[in-house]
Amino acid sequence: MTKATTDKRQGRPRGQSGHDRRAQIIEVATALFREKGYHVTSLDDIADRIGFTKPAIYYYFKSKEDVLFAIVSGIADEALARFRAIAQGPGTAGERIHALLVENTRTILRNPDANAVFYNERGLLSPEREQQMRRREREYTRIMRDLYAEGVASGELLDIDPAVATSTLLGASIWSYRWFNPKGRLSADEAAEQITRLLLHGYRLDR
Amino acid sequence: MTKATTDKRQGRPRGQSGHDRRAQIIEVATALFREKGYHVTSLDDIADRIGFTKPAIYYYFKSKEDVLFAIVSGIADEALARFRAIAQGPGTAGERIHALLVENTRTILRNPDANAVFYNERGLLSPEREQQMRRREREYTRIMRDLYAEGVASGELLDIDPAVATSTLLGASIWSYRWFNPKGRLSADEAAEQITRLLLHGYRLDR
DNA sequence: CCTACCGATCGGTAGG
DNA sequence: CCTACCGATCGGTAGG
């Protein structure tokens, strides 16, 4: 369908470096997995869009699942690093939670496709890898929950169950990958600002 | 694996009525689609768990997609009916939005599996059916957006983009299907109360 | 609602 | 990185 104009010689990759090719496979796979889902996307689909044939992918990845894992673990690593850095930073618990939400939302809105793949398809990984992702996620959830509990104890934050608060705030932030339109009138950072302001103050102006 | 103890005679269904059987297929499919995903679940998996063989499913459904559609459209119908009823009910815009969020969250938490299937797998429907679901979703999003805009105009609600507000509030509500544990210490209604209170007031106590 | 059974798709590999 | 090609899975159907 999308016939490549690239000539298909034999042997090793040429032109682009191995790193670029690998990155290109991840990029194309991310778009396709987001669009059609992991199982509906065949390795031929990915190869076609690049101008490859399927076995080329096996030069860079051991399996289809490895391609998914590369996308998903990249997102998890970024998120965890972000949470750790901010949690250890300055400010009250409430201020750090706000910083966490702003940064998290911005990052998601700047790269909605990979985040969609992370949240939609990571359940399709092998049990071991899924567990690995779950552990990463539990860790950054725990970071935020502890922060929230601290803020409740000091009287700075609304007194509800910290686990419920954390999941709800993060959920509102994460959910943005589903509706945000990068080509819409709001930029990623503008949308992130409005989302986090809403979470901070609530929607009701009862003052 | 899960070998059925039911005897497998020929002919039409016995014991349970046709309606029950159909409902049973939907129930089992919902659990499996939620657990493993639509494509990883085979019709044999569904039939096995009931004590059937695969062709029995074709007595009640024309295709595998029809089973998914039954689950997904059921959820969409419920949600739309709920939104319409509350939007036309009494109260200020802010009060109706609150009622909407409470009801929506409760309903999701009382039936997280079917809602998970709705949000995770509806993209796998045929283009026509996916469009149909999208239209339903757009309609109830529009109902809430209009309500939010009304509340902003009257000065009752936080002045941010109504579309952003709507998606974020609904997202926080919907996301609950992902983390809520029906066997945990909080009941569905208790969790719904905390979630909606957080959205209403925000997490920061700055009074 | 069961016993076969077909056909197509697709991940993965051989061998270069 | 390409040309074949294999094997398994699985939705769906025939015929009862």
Side-chain angles (χ1 to χ4, degrees), chain B residues 66-136:
Chain B
D66 279 30
V67 179
L68 176 60
F69 185 66
I71 300 167
V72 161
S73 65
I75 292 292
D77 289 347
E78 280 178 34
L80 188 50
R82 191 161 57 238
F83 273 62
R84 281 177 174 152
I86 294 178
Q88 291 163 5
T92 65
E95 286 162 358
R96 279 177 285 166
I97 281 181
H98 189 254
L100 225 43
L101 289 172
V102 170
E103 271 312 295
N104 194 246
T105 312
R106 274 188 189 153
T107 309
I108 288 170
L109 292 182
R110 285 170 187 164
N111 191 182
D113 283 355
N115 277 281
V117 173
F118 178 77
Y119 289 107
N120 295 340
E121 319 290 347
R122 71 154 185 251
L124 301 175
L125 290 170
S126 69
E128 308 79 53
R129 285 173 158 177
E130 204 194 333
Q131 281 309 310
Q132 191 181 328
M133 291 303 102
R134 259 194 231 294
R135 272 195 299 273
R136 293 259 237 320

Side-chain angles (χ1 to χ4, degrees), chain A residues 19-143:
Chain A
H19 180 74
D20 284 348
R21 277 297 190 201
R22 203 187 134 90
Q24 191 183 14
I25 292 170
I26 289 180
E27 187 184 340
V28 168
T30 299
L32 287 171
F33 289 169
R34 203 264 155 97
E35 201 180 305
K36 315 202 293 179
Y38 176 75
H39 278 112
V40 180
T41 302
S42 70
L43 290 174
D44 282 320
D45 290 337
I46 297 171
D48 277 2
R49 190 173 282 195
I50 300 180
F52 272 159
T53 58
K54 180 174 57 177
I57 295 174
Y58 285 91
Y59 182 81
Y60 298 99
F61 294 93
K62 290 210 313 292
S63 69
K64 186 184 180 185
E65 198 204 303
D66 280 30
V67 179
L68 176 59
F69 185 65
I71 299 167
V72 160
S73 65
I75 292 291
D77 290 346
E78 280 178 34
L80 187 50
R82 191 161 58 239
F83 273 61
R84 283 177 172 151
I86 293 178
Q88 293 162 3
T92 65
E95 285 163 358
R96 278 177 286 168
I97 282 181
H98 189 254
L100 225 42
L101 289 171
V102 170
E103 271 312 295
N104 194 245
T105 312
R106 272 188 190 154
T107 309
I108 288 170
L109 292 182
R110 285 171 186 165
N111 190 182
D113 283 354
N115 278 281
V117 173
F118 178 77
Y119 289 107
N120 295 339
E121 319 289 347
R122 71 154 185 250
L124 301 175
L125 290 170
S126 69
E128 308 79 55
R129 285 173 159 177
E130 204 195 333
Q131 280 310 310
Q132 192 181 327
M133 291 303 102
R134 260 196 230 294
R135 272 194 297 272
R136 293 259 237 318
E137 199 175 10
R138 252 202 303 274
E139 185 174 343
Y140 65 70
T141 301
R142 188 189 51 70
I143 290 174

